[in-house]
Amino acid sequence: MTGPAEGRPDIAGTITFFYYDDLDAAVRWYREVLGFEPYFNQDWLVLLRITPGQSLGLVDAVSGSQRPVPGRNKGATLSIETDQLEQWHDRLRAAGSLGPDDGFQPGCRGRTTEFRVCDPGGYFVEFFRWIAPPLPL
């Protein structure tokens, strides 16, 4: 018996796209606050490397295939798994990117410790560490 991934074509990586009314502010925040480096930059699209094979695409409000979603619920969250949760929290606090309610919280029904911040476009960026990692099926 073979698993679902066996025989599947390769995947080189993934890119999550977020859409912004102020693309320059978003690019600055991801570069300066999170330290993500651009590897592709056009006037309407910037791709930033998160880890090998994982990227974030920042797109301006008028040139991409989607448009920014108004309001607080963007329908998407960038979720970053890290064993250095406290160091990320300290970095974001030093950058002035933490709000009064951005402390550590239980997440995933008690399986993670996490905190969230909002980027300049209002997207949530969640940092988490597993307390009880998911078990293989």
Side-chain angles (χ1 to χ4, degrees), residues 107-118:
C108 196
R109 296 185 178 175
R111 297 179 69 94
T112 64
T113 299
E114 64 184 44
F115 71 94
R116 290 182 178 182
V117 297
C118 279

Side-chain angles (χ1 to χ4, degrees), residues 5-41:
E6 292 181 39
R8 181 192 74 198
D10 287 343
I11 296 172
T14 60
I15 303 174
T16 299
F17 289 96
F18 288 168
Y19 297 82
Y20 295 90
D21 290 313
D22 187 346
L23 180 60
D24 291 336
V27 171
R28 267 192 316 279
W29 190 82
Y30 280 98
R31 284 192 74 184
E32 294 172 9
V33 175
L34 297 190
F36 295 172
E37 285 299 319
Y39 66 91
F40 182 82
N41 190 343

Side-chain angles (χ1 to χ4, degrees), residues 4-110:
E6 292 181 39
R8 181 192 74 198
D10 287 343
I11 296 172
T14 60
I15 303 174
T16 299
F17 289 96
F18 288 168
Y19 297 82
Y20 295 90
D21 290 313
D22 187 346
L23 180 60
D24 291 336
V27 171
R28 267 192 316 279
W29 190 82
Y30 280 98
R31 284 192 74 184
E32 294 172 9
V33 175
L34 297 190
F36 295 172
E37 285 299 319
Y39 66 91
F40 182 82
N41 190 343
Q42 302 243 312
D43 61 335
W44 62 278
L45 167 67
V46 176
L47 300 178
L48 303 124
R49 180 107 37 236
I50 299 173
T51 63
Q54 298 172 334
S55 299
L56 178 63
L58 310 180
V59 184
D60 77 9
V62 296
S63 299
S65 63
Q66 306 293 310
R67 300 293 171 257
V69 175
R72 194 151 161 79
N73 185 350
K74 301 296 184 186
T77 297
L78 178 62
S79 191
I80 298 172
E81 179 183 352
T82 179
D83 287 331
Q84 297 182 330
L85 195 61
E86 292 79 9
Q87 291 90 332
W88 274 108
H89 196 266
D90 292 345
R91 178 184 179 114
L92 288 154
R93 181 186 309 115
S97 290
L98 291 179
D101 297 324
D102 296 330
F104 297 104
Q105 302 291 326
C108 196
R109 296 185 178 175

